[in-house]
Amino acid sequence: MFTAGVDVGSVAAKAIVYDTVSRSVVGMALQPTGWDSKTAGEEVLHNACVAAGIGAPEYIVATGYGRVSLSFAHRTTTEITCHAAGAVRLFPGTRVVLDIGGQDSKVIRTDADGSVQDFLMNDKCAAGTGRFLQVLSGILNRDLDGLDTLAMEGTPAPISSMCAVFAETEIVGLLARGAAPADIAAGVLVSIARRMCALAARIPMSGECTFTGGLAVSPAFGRILSRELGVPVNIPEHPQHTGAFGAALLAENYLNKSLKRSRA
């Protein structure tokens, strides 16, 4: 039997198809969300099912900011719940999950079962999110991979502005004064990491720490975040899919409960 998790975020839609017998991921897909969350969710689930070689899963859980538009899902739940469940399954020692998405960042405290114990979210300012990198990408005319490579070559330039709008002006000014793009890229990554560390400082950092979300695909940022936190950071092989994976695991639980009720 198969379950699926569909995570429609502000920037990307992700889907996972999970085989409940072999207890393994058998299909996954990712694509830009665009302006239509419903279509993005339908398409990414279809692509994951094609990759898995199945027609349709038995149970689907939707998550992410676009979850309310996915009427095909059997159930919806928050991305906080799903990231916690996915991170603990991938790294059983996880007790803190750091998730940086396109429009917000989260610190999640979890227990050994992947249940959320506490969480904090920064959704008021783009300076601590992937949106900040989109701004930098536009200024330097580089994609994320290009920014990552650039940042690894640079010495971090100080970015003092606490607002993405003002930081953009500051970055343009630094370039006008001859600052190296590599130093600016490194400075922006350090700035984002320190914002996440300030958020994380408000939750006990015992146990392992796992980093998920779109920014976790950046090796340079992962190293900077670990250095700023002062602790090792687990990074999944497919960090953007962690929420979808957690949703698929929750779908398995809901499916099992449904089957038990039907047999009673």
Side-chain angles (χ1 to χ4, degrees):
M1 300 182 74
F2 301 94
T3 62
V6 182
D7 178 6
V8 178
S10 61
V11 174
K14 294 80 64 175
I16 286 282
V17 175
Y18 182 74
D19 185 336
T20 64
V21 176
S22 66
R23 300 183 69 78
S24 62
V25 173
V26 292
M28 64 172 60
L30 180 149
Q31 68 180 58
T33 299
W35 63 272
D36 188 343
S37 299
K38 181 176 183 293
T39 298
E42 291 171 345
E43 290 179 350
V44 79
L45 175 60
H46 171 75
N47 292 337
C49 289
V50 170
I54 68 167
E58 277 76 16
Y59 205 100
I60 303 166
V61 168
T63 190
Y65 97 100
R67 64 185 180 274
V68 295
S69 64
L70 306 185
S71 58
F72 58 80
H74 296 88
R75 188 181 290 249
T76 63
T77 191
T78 70
E79 60 268 33
I80 292 166
T81 299
C82 293
H83 275 268
V88 170
R89 175 64 66 89
L90 292 169
F91 300 99
T94 297
R95 296 298 177 269
V96 175
V97 181
L98 307 178
D99 172 46
I100 302 181
Q103 293 187 357
D104 60 38
S105 54
K106 311 175 192 72
V107 181
I108 307 164
R109 181 72 187 165
T110 181
D111 63 14
D113 295 325
S115 298
V116 175
Q117 302 300 297
D118 194 8
F119 74 91
L120 293 169
M121 178 185 296
N122 171 28
D123 59 356
K124 302 298 184 185
C125 178
T129 71
R131 175 60 186 155
F132 200 178
L133 279 191
Q134 287 183 312
V135 170
L136 180 64
S137 177
I139 296 172
L140 298 182
N141 195 28
R142 302 285 185 103
D143 60 13
L144 181 58
D145 289 340
L147 290 178
D148 195 70
T149 301
L150 201 61
M152 288 191 284
E153 299 170 352
T155 300
I159 307 294
S160 58
S161 298
M162 299 300 286
C163 168
V165 175
F166 294 139
E168 181 176 3
T169 301
E170 185 177 358
I171 290 167
V172 171
L174 286 170
L175 287 170
R177 293 193 295 273
D183 295 346
I184 293 173
V188 168
L189 293 188
V190 169
S191 176
I192 296 172
R194 287 178 178 170
R195 276 184 166 260
M196 175 54 90
C197 290
L199 195 64
R202 295 162 59 188
I203 283 185
M205 291 291 288
S206 59
E208 294 180 22
C209 180
T210 297
F211 178 33
T212 67
L215 276 189
V217 303
S218 164
F221 185 76
R223 286 195 291 271
I224 290 170
L225 181 61
S226 178
R227 185 186 71 213
E228 293 294 327
L229 284 169
V231 298
V233 174
N234 302 320
I235 300 179
E237 182 179 0
H238 302 285
Q240 288 175 285
H241 286 83
T242 308
F245 179 51
L249 296 176
L250 294 173
E252 179 187 23
N253 292 337
Y254 294 134
L255 176 62
N256 289 338
K257 290 177 182 178
S258 176
L259 292 173
K260 285 180 182 178
R261 285 195 298 268
S262 65
R263 292 167 184 160

